[in-house]
Amino acid sequence: MSKVAVMGYGTIGSGVVEVLASNSGVIAERTGEAVEIKYVLDLRDFPGSPVENLLIKDYKKIVDDPEIEIVVETMGGVNPAYMFVKECLENGKSVCTSNKELVASHGAELIAIAKDKNVNFLFEASVGGGIPIIRPINQSLTAEVIEEITGILNGTTNFILTKMRDAGADFEDVLKEAQELGYAERNPEADVEGYDACRKIAILTSLAYGKQVDYNDIYTEGITKITAADFKYAKKMNSTIKLVGRSKMEDGKVSAMVSPVLVKQGHPLYTVDDVFNGIFVKGNMLGDSMFYGKGAGKLPTASAVVADVIEAARNKGSNIKVLWDSEKLALQDYKDVKNKFFVRVKETPSIVDEVNANFGQIVPLDIGIEGECAFLTDSITEREFESKIANVPELITRIRVM
């Protein structure tokens, strides 16, 4: 029998308990032995809950108990989760986590400790909730050179953008609705400013190229400036707008970025709507593959955590190799990366001449909005775009085109 401790009895932690209880028979069959929760760590009390008699408040009880072989960390945040997880690994316990902040910040270090102690640090649920993506990159796609990972990695922002498109509404109105429905936090900054997606693309990029990607090095832009008018233009271009985390290898250089982009009809990510996530991976031999599903939520995420628990139980006494070392991956300067841009500027008597003089070959766009001009640029670097647009007065907005 595998004895498990769960650290954090919030949304995901309680989901892990529910999955382990509801699917105990099939989990035992697939693991080869029963999996039983011995402790649940939380500072709160939960009278009448299924874990009332398992609750403890001191994490040292988990660290020091030789019966505990697998620890589930679902507390979230870096502190104190980092200290708790590190001590568990150092004491010979495998850890399964859904904590993207922890993995993005300390993944390489915790993987190295697990290897040294011949246990495992598993984090399938840290990206994409219930979508299998970590294990496919680490195992199924190991024969590939990953050329591109592009993902809709945050369900909150995808819900907001989908609603803005379908209802013709502006950001603030849809954000309020998302908060009322429980899709967005009272303070939605991590989602709407792109920070959540940034941590996730940092994790995927680190796994794809085997080196530490510092999420602070990734240029990140959120969705707060997207308007209903932008979606009207997108419709004219047979496109939609998505918040996308993207990493790409070209000529041996890896770039990464999080930003809103125009996604054309026909691209696999075009139809990923509402709270769903989609992750597009391109390998040099396999070509294109797509991973789609619920990127968040109590039970989908908990299911991914429990899959890691099963994997840890199956691999007692052996370490699953994960290629992600502490050497930092130097990302290409985002300003040297080429993109096409959709641009809106205020109309002036000389605006056409100024745009043509600076951007040369453009595709003009008109949807009948008075007082502005819109156009598509050719593929140019971010640096070139900044230089050219500085000579054109009254920029309204610009969105990258994928």
Side-chain angles (χ1 to χ4, degrees):
M1 176 180 288
S2 287
K3 298 275 189 174
V4 175
V6 177
M7 299 196 297
Y9 193 65
T11 301
I12 308 305
S14 62
V16 168
V17 172
E18 184 176 341
V19 172
L20 284 170
S22 299
N23 291 355
S24 59
V26 75
I27 288 168
E29 183 181 344
R30 291 171 182 173
T31 305
E33 61 183 3
V35 176
E36 180 182 282
I37 297 173
K38 185 173 183 180
Y39 302 120
V40 174
L41 176 75
D42 205 292
L43 294 177
R44 299 165 293 176
D45 294 315
F46 296 92
S49 78
V51 300
E52 183 178 6
N53 298 324
L54 306 178
L55 284 164
I56 59 170
K57 299 185 188 298
D58 182 4
Y59 82 100
K60 283 288 189 181
K61 197 166 185 178
I62 295 171
V63 172
D64 295 335
D65 188 336
E67 277 197 332
I68 298 296
E69 299 174 286
I70 302 168
V71 177
V72 170
E73 186 278 306
T74 52
M75 296 186 296
V78 174
N79 294 309
Y82 166 65
M83 178 179 70
F84 290 3
V85 167
K86 186 176 180 180
E87 284 196 42
C88 287
L89 291 170
E90 288 174 339
N91 278 269
K93 305 175 192 302
S94 290
V95 175
C96 309
T97 183
S98 60
N99 190 338
K100 58 197 169 274
E101 292 179 76
L102 174 67
V103 178
S105 300
H106 298 286
E109 177 191 2
L110 297 174
I111 288 166
I113 294 171
K115 181 180 178 181
D116 182 61
K117 296 297 181 179
N118 207 32
V119 293
N120 290 290
F121 178 63
L122 302 172
F123 45 94
E124 180 63 65
S126 66
V127 179
I131 304 171
I133 184 62
I134 301 295
R135 198 168 284 111
I137 289 178
N138 189 47
Q139 297 178 15
S140 305
L141 300 176
T142 49
E144 295 290 313
V145 174
I146 303 296
E147 296 179 339
E148 179 183 346
I149 301 173
T150 300
I152 296 168
L153 300 169
N154 182 274
T156 298
T157 51
N158 204 39
F159 171 83
I160 291 171
L161 291 172
T162 301
K163 194 75 175 180
M164 287 176 68
R165 179 196 68 198
D166 293 348
D170 278 319
F171 171 77
E172 291 295 341
D173 294 331
V174 178
L175 172 60
K176 190 178 297 183
E177 181 181 349
Q179 289 170 321
E180 290 169 355
L181 291 170
Y183 292 144
E185 301 288 341
R186 181 171 295 180
N187 179 3
E189 183 182 41
D191 293 323
V192 300
E193 295 295 352
Y195 305 145
D196 176 78
C198 176
R199 285 163 175 78
K200 292 172 181 175
I201 197 64
I203 292 169
L204 295 178
T205 307
S206 297
L207 282 171
Y209 303 111
K211 297 180 181 179
Q212 176 70 26
V213 174
D214 187 341
Y215 60 82
N216 292 310
D217 293 341
I218 298 175
Y219 176 82
T220 301
E221 192 177 299
I223 65 169
T224 57
K225 295 179 182 178
I226 301 298
T227 66
D230 293 325
F231 276 101
K232 291 179 182 177
Y233 280 107
K235 184 177 181 180
K236 184 177 179 68
M237 292 181 276
N238 295 315
S239 300
T240 191
I241 301 170
K242 302 289 186 183
L243 182 71
V244 163
R246 191 178 196 185
S247 62
K248 203 171 185 180
M249 177 185 277
E250 288 183 312
D251 301 324
K253 297 177 181 177
V254 178
S255 62
M257 178 182 289
V258 174
S259 72
V261 298
L262 281 159
V263 180
K264 292 185 177 181
Q265 191 171 1
H267 191 283
L269 296 179
Y270 178 86
T271 55
V272 179
D273 287 338
D274 295 313
V275 294
F276 282 81
N277 283 192
I279 304 168
F280 169 84
V281 180
K282 183 176 183 179
N284 69 327
M285 296 292 133
L286 173 65
D288 301 341
S289 55
M290 178 76 174
F291 301 83
Y292 170 82
K294 289 188 176 180
K298 176 178 177 176
L299 294 179
T301 304
S303 175
V305 174
V306 174
D308 278 348
V309 171
I310 293 170
E311 192 78 357
R314 285 172 170 172
N315 287 276
K316 290 178 187 178
S318 64
N319 174 258
I320 302 166
K321 188 171 184 178
V322 180
L323 293 174
W324 178 353
D325 64 41
S326 58
E327 181 185 352
K328 187 172 178 178
L329 179 65
L331 295 175
Q332 183 181 13
D333 188 335
Y334 84 95
K335 291 189 177 183
D336 294 327
V337 177
K338 284 189 172 183
N339 278 299
K340 291 183 178 180
F341 294 86
F342 160 64
V343 186
R344 294 168 58 200
V345 294
K346 288 187 179 179
E347 189 172 26
T348 65
S350 59
I351 191 65
V352 174
D353 292 337
E354 289 167 338
V355 168
N356 288 336
N358 284 280
F359 287 96
Q361 187 71 32
I362 62 162
V363 178
L365 297 164
D366 184 4
I367 61 168
I369 298 179
E370 291 187 10
E372 69 176 61
C373 294
F375 59 94
L376 283 171
T377 73
D378 202 353
S379 181
I380 56 176
T381 67
E382 298 272 342
R383 195 184 309 279
E384 288 172 320
F385 176 81
E386 289 179 10
S387 174
K388 292 174 185 293
I389 201 65
N391 299 319
V392 179
E394 308 275 8
L395 173 68
I396 297 172
T397 193
R398 60 93 180 91
I399 302 173
R400 295 165 184 88
V401 179
M402 196 165 76

mmCIF file of all heavy atoms in Angstrom, residues 8 45 62-63 104 138 165 174 183 185 191 224 228 242 244 275 288 292 298 310 353 365 372 375 400:
data_model
loop_
_atom_site.group_PDB
_atom_site.id
_atom_site.type_symbol
_atom_site.label_atom_id
_atom_site.label_comp_id
_atom_site.label_asym_id
_atom_site.label_seq_id
_atom_site.Cartn_x
_atom_site.Cartn_y
_atom_site.Cartn_z
ATOM 1 N N GLY A 8 -2.459 21.001 1.624
ATOM 2 C CA GLY A 8 -3.353 22.013 1.086
ATOM 3 C C GLY A 8 -4.698 21.418 0.712
ATOM 4 O O GLY A 8 -4.784 20.633 -0.237
ATOM 5 N N ASP A 45 -9.736 24.220 9.841
ATOM 6 C CA ASP A 45 -10.475 23.027 10.264
ATOM 7 C C ASP A 45 -11.631 22.800 9.305
ATOM 8 O O ASP A 45 -12.224 23.749 8.786
ATOM 9 C CB ASP A 45 -11.014 23.208 11.684
ATOM 10 C CG ASP A 45 -9.903 23.306 12.713
ATOM 11 O OD1 ASP A 45 -8.965 22.492 12.643
ATOM 12 O OD2 ASP A 45 -9.967 24.215 13.564
ATOM 13 N N ILE A 62 4.613 15.128 8.315
ATOM 14 C CA ILE A 62 4.696 14.454 7.011
ATOM 15 C C ILE A 62 6.146 14.136 6.675
ATOM 16 O O ILE A 62 6.482 13.015 6.280
ATOM 17 C CB ILE A 62 4.071 15.347 5.915
ATOM 18 C CG1 ILE A 62 2.573 15.525 6.165
ATOM 19 C CG2 ILE A 62 4.336 14.772 4.527
ATOM 20 C CD1 ILE A 62 1.912 16.558 5.270
ATOM 21 N N VAL A 63 7.001 15.129 6.843
ATOM 22 C CA VAL A 63 8.423 14.976 6.501
ATOM 23 C C VAL A 63 9.060 13.836 7.292
ATOM 24 O O VAL A 63 9.851 13.050 6.750
ATOM 25 C CB VAL A 63 9.186 16.296 6.769
ATOM 26 C CG1 VAL A 63 10.694 16.088 6.604
ATOM 27 C CG2 VAL A 63 8.699 17.393 5.831
ATOM 28 N N ALA A 104 7.874 26.705 -12.051
ATOM 29 C CA ALA A 104 8.568 27.683 -12.896
ATOM 30 C C ALA A 104 9.768 28.285 -12.184
ATOM 31 O O ALA A 104 10.805 28.548 -12.804
ATOM 32 C CB ALA A 104 7.595 28.785 -13.327
ATOM 33 N N ASN A 138 8.032 15.149 -22.081
ATOM 34 C CA ASN A 138 9.145 14.497 -21.405
ATOM 35 C C ASN A 138 9.378 13.068 -21.871
ATOM 36 O O ASN A 138 10.504 12.562 -21.783
ATOM 37 C CB ASN A 138 8.903 14.502 -19.890
ATOM 38 C CG ASN A 138 10.105 14.038 -19.106
ATOM 39 O OD1 ASN A 138 11.217 14.483 -19.354
ATOM 40 N ND2 ASN A 138 9.890 13.134 -18.164
ATOM 41 N N ARG A 165 -15.746 38.561 -28.153
ATOM 42 C CA ARG A 165 -15.986 38.314 -29.583
ATOM 43 C C ARG A 165 -17.454 38.036 -29.863
ATOM 44 O O ARG A 165 -18.054 38.628 -30.761
ATOM 45 C CB ARG A 165 -15.142 37.117 -30.033
ATOM 46 C CG ARG A 165 -15.313 36.741 -31.500
ATOM 47 C CD ARG A 165 -14.764 35.345 -31.759
ATOM 48 N NE ARG A 165 -15.573 34.325 -31.098
ATOM 49 C CZ ARG A 165 -15.151 33.082 -30.856
ATOM 50 N NH1 ARG A 165 -13.933 32.714 -31.207
ATOM 51 N NH2 ARG A 165 -15.957 32.208 -30.267
ATOM 52 N N VAL A 174 -16.969 42.264 -19.579
ATOM 53 C CA VAL A 174 -16.851 40.799 -19.580
ATOM 54 C C VAL A 174 -16.062 40.324 -18.362
ATOM 55 O O VAL A 174 -16.362 39.273 -17.784
ATOM 56 C CB VAL A 174 -16.211 40.296 -20.886
ATOM 57 C CG1 VAL A 174 -16.058 38.784 -20.859
ATOM 58 C CG2 VAL A 174 -17.055 40.708 -22.076
ATOM 59 N N TYR A 183 -14.980 32.499 -12.749
ATOM 60 C CA TYR A 183 -13.877 32.194 -13.656
ATOM 61 C C TYR A 183 -12.676 33.101 -13.419
ATOM 62 O O TYR A 183 -11.551 32.749 -13.771
ATOM 63 C CB TYR A 183 -14.321 32.339 -15.116
ATOM 64 C CG TYR A 183 -15.326 31.305 -15.567
ATOM 65 C CD1 TYR A 183 -16.340 31.637 -16.460
ATOM 66 C CD2 TYR A 183 -15.273 29.994 -15.114
ATOM 67 C CE1 TYR A 183 -17.274 30.699 -16.888
ATOM 68 C CE2 TYR A 183 -16.196 29.049 -15.520
ATOM 69 C CZ TYR A 183 -17.192 29.407 -16.416
ATOM 70 O OH TYR A 183 -18.113 28.473 -16.827
ATOM 71 N N GLU A 185 -10.611 35.762 -10.586
ATOM 72 C CA GLU A 185 -10.454 36.141 -9.186
ATOM 73 C C GLU A 185 -10.868 37.601 -8.993
ATOM 74 O O GLU A 185 -10.968 38.376 -9.937
ATOM 75 C CB GLU A 185 -8.982 35.971 -8.773
ATOM 76 C CG GLU A 185 -8.433 34.578 -8.931
ATOM 77 C CD GLU A 185 -8.985 33.601 -7.914
ATOM 78 O OE1 GLU A 185 -9.521 34.056 -6.870
ATOM 79 O OE2 GLU A 185 -8.905 32.385 -8.165
ATOM 80 N N ASP A 191 -3.990 36.609 -14.254
ATOM 81 C CA ASP A 191 -4.576 36.079 -15.479
ATOM 82 C C ASP A 191 -4.557 37.113 -16.601
ATOM 83 O O ASP A 191 -3.992 36.879 -17.671
ATOM 84 C CB ASP A 191 -6.023 35.639 -15.221
ATOM 85 C CG ASP A 191 -6.106 34.452 -14.277
ATOM 86 O OD1 ASP A 191 -5.237 33.574 -14.360
ATOM 87 O OD2 ASP A 191 -7.035 34.420 -13.461
ATOM 88 N N THR A 224 -5.781 43.522 -21.383
ATOM 89 C CA THR A 224 -6.600 44.625 -20.869
ATOM 90 C C THR A 224 -6.852 45.720 -21.899
ATOM 91 O O THR A 224 -7.785 46.513 -21.738
ATOM 92 C CB THR A 224 -5.942 45.253 -19.618
ATOM 93 O OG1 THR A 224 -4.615 45.684 -19.950
ATOM 94 C CG2 THR A 224 -5.865 44.233 -18.490
ATOM 95 N N ALA A 228 -13.711 45.765 -28.251
ATOM 96 C CA ALA A 228 -14.700 45.193 -29.161
ATOM 97 C C ALA A 228 -14.375 45.538 -30.609
ATOM 98 O O ALA A 228 -14.603 44.723 -31.514
ATOM 99 C CB ALA A 228 -16.095 45.692 -28.785
ATOM 100 N N LYS A 242 -6.618 35.719 -29.421
ATOM 101 C CA LYS A 242 -6.345 34.827 -28.296
ATOM 102 C C LYS A 242 -5.116 35.327 -27.535
ATOM 103 O O LYS A 242 -4.213 35.919 -28.133
ATOM 104 C CB LYS A 242 -6.069 33.405 -28.785
ATOM 105 C CG LYS A 242 -7.192 32.767 -29.606
ATOM 106 C CD LYS A 242 -8.397 32.432 -28.765
ATOM 107 C CE LYS A 242 -9.460 31.675 -29.547
ATOM 108 N NZ LYS A 242 -10.668 31.426 -28.710
ATOM 109 N N VAL A 244 -1.841 34.156 -26.138
ATOM 110 C CA VAL A 244 -1.039 32.986 -26.487
ATOM 111 C C VAL A 244 0.343 33.078 -25.845
ATOM 112 O O VAL A 244 0.989 34.127 -25.868
ATOM 113 C CB VAL A 244 -0.911 32.890 -28.033
ATOM 114 C CG1 VAL A 244 0.230 31.974 -28.434
ATOM 115 C CG2 VAL A 244 -2.215 32.397 -28.637
ATOM 116 N N VAL A 275 -13.487 28.409 -21.505
ATOM 117 C CA VAL A 275 -12.452 28.162 -20.495
ATOM 118 C C VAL A 275 -11.495 27.043 -20.919
ATOM 119 O O VAL A 275 -10.637 26.630 -20.133
ATOM 120 C CB VAL A 275 -13.079 27.812 -19.129
ATOM 121 C CG1 VAL A 275 -13.836 28.994 -18.578
ATOM 122 C CG2 VAL A 275 -13.990 26.590 -19.236
ATOM 123 N N ASP A 288 2.998 18.649 -36.724
ATOM 124 C CA ASP A 288 2.084 19.317 -35.809
ATOM 125 C C ASP A 288 1.307 18.324 -34.952
ATOM 126 O O ASP A 288 0.820 17.310 -35.450
ATOM 127 C CB ASP A 288 1.072 20.174 -36.583
ATOM 128 C CG ASP A 288 1.743 21.233 -37.440
ATOM 129 O OD1 ASP A 288 2.920 21.538 -37.179
ATOM 130 O OD2 ASP A 288 1.091 21.764 -38.360
ATOM 131 N N TYR A 292 -5.714 19.317 -26.258
ATOM 132 C CA TYR A 292 -6.885 20.161 -26.020
ATOM 133 C C TYR A 292 -7.700 19.620 -24.859
ATOM 134 O O TYR A 292 -7.838 18.408 -24.696
ATOM 135 C CB TYR A 292 -7.756 20.162 -27.284
ATOM 136 C CG TYR A 292 -9.114 20.800 -27.138
ATOM 137 C CD1 TYR A 292 -9.278 22.181 -27.215
ATOM 138 C CD2 TYR A 292 -10.244 20.012 -26.924
ATOM 139 C CE1 TYR A 292 -10.526 22.760 -27.085
ATOM 140 C CE2 TYR A 292 -11.508 20.589 -26.784
ATOM 141 C CZ TYR A 292 -11.642 21.964 -26.867
ATOM 142 O OH TYR A 292 -12.881 22.538 -26.738
ATOM 143 N N LYS A 298 -11.455 22.049 -10.643
ATOM 144 C CA LYS A 298 -11.142 21.162 -9.523
ATOM 145 C C LYS A 298 -10.816 19.742 -9.957
ATOM 146 O O LYS A 298 -9.699 19.245 -9.732
ATOM 147 C CB LYS A 298 -12.329 21.171 -8.554
ATOM 148 C CG LYS A 298 -12.197 20.227 -7.370
ATOM 149 C CD LYS A 298 -13.405 20.353 -6.457
ATOM 150 C CE LYS A 298 -13.337 19.368 -5.307
ATOM 151 N NZ LYS A 298 -14.453 19.548 -4.353
ATOM 152 N N ILE A 310 -0.078 7.968 -9.186
ATOM 153 C CA ILE A 310 0.021 6.600 -9.705
ATOM 154 C C ILE A 310 1.403 6.350 -10.303
ATOM 155 O O ILE A 310 2.028 5.309 -10.061
ATOM 156 C CB ILE A 310 -1.082 6.346 -10.757
ATOM 157 C CG1 ILE A 310 -2.465 6.369 -10.095
ATOM 158 C CG2 ILE A 310 -0.857 5.025 -11.483
ATOM 159 C CD1 ILE A 310 -3.616 6.360 -11.075
ATOM 160 N N ASP A 353 0.261 58.819 -46.243
ATOM 161 C CA ASP A 353 1.643 59.039 -46.685
ATOM 162 C C ASP A 353 2.636 58.609 -45.613
ATOM 163 O O ASP A 353 3.679 58.001 -45.918
ATOM 164 C CB ASP A 353 1.857 60.511 -47.029
ATOM 165 C CG ASP A 353 1.079 60.936 -48.259
ATOM 166 O OD1 ASP A 353 0.740 60.049 -49.080
ATOM 167 O OD2 ASP A 353 0.802 62.142 -48.400
ATOM 168 N N LEU A 365 -7.034 48.134 -44.124
ATOM 169 C CA LEU A 365 -8.251 47.516 -43.623
ATOM 170 C C LEU A 365 -9.265 48.603 -43.287
ATOM 171 O O LEU A 365 -8.912 49.629 -42.704
ATOM 172 C CB LEU A 365 -7.969 46.692 -42.360
ATOM 173 C CG LEU A 365 -7.021 45.501 -42.527
ATOM 174 C CD1 LEU A 365 -6.540 45.031 -41.163
ATOM 175 C CD2 LEU A 365 -7.727 44.359 -43.255
ATOM 176 N N GLU A 372 -10.143 56.773 -37.931
ATOM 177 C CA GLU A 372 -8.956 55.934 -37.778
ATOM 178 C C GLU A 372 -8.646 55.192 -39.062
ATOM 179 O O GLU A 372 -9.504 55.034 -39.941
ATOM 180 C CB GLU A 372 -9.111 54.945 -36.629
ATOM 181 C CG GLU A 372 -10.130 53.841 -36.846
ATOM 182 C CD GLU A 372 -10.139 52.849 -35.672
ATOM 183 O OE1 GLU A 372 -10.422 53.255 -34.526
ATOM 184 O OE2 GLU A 372 -9.841 51.659 -35.936
ATOM 185 N N PHE A 375 -4.258 48.783 -40.717
ATOM 186 C CA PHE A 375 -3.516 48.081 -41.754
ATOM 187 C C PHE A 375 -2.750 46.911 -41.163
ATOM 188 O O PHE A 375 -2.556 46.810 -39.945
ATOM 189 C CB PHE A 375 -2.551 49.035 -42.463
ATOM 190 C CG PHE A 375 -1.527 49.688 -41.562
ATOM 191 C CD1 PHE A 375 -0.265 49.136 -41.385
ATOM 192 C CD2 PHE A 375 -1.826 50.878 -40.896
ATOM 193 C CE1 PHE A 375 0.671 49.737 -40.565
ATOM 194 C CE2 PHE A 375 -0.893 51.495 -40.076
ATOM 195 C CZ PHE A 375 0.359 50.924 -39.915
ATOM 196 N N ARG A 400 -0.172 41.454 -32.608
ATOM 197 C CA ARG A 400 0.627 40.579 -33.461
ATOM 198 C C ARG A 400 -0.262 39.588 -34.207
ATOM 199 O O ARG A 400 -1.314 39.206 -33.721
ATOM 200 C CB ARG A 400 1.670 39.847 -32.614
ATOM 201 C CG ARG A 400 2.697 40.805 -32.019
ATOM 202 C CD ARG A 400 3.506 40.191 -30.899
ATOM 203 N NE ARG A 400 4.386 41.201 -30.317
ATOM 204 C CZ ARG A 400 4.032 42.013 -29.324
ATOM 205 N NH1 ARG A 400 2.828 41.913 -28.789
ATOM 206 N NH2 ARG A 400 4.867 42.907 -28.863
#
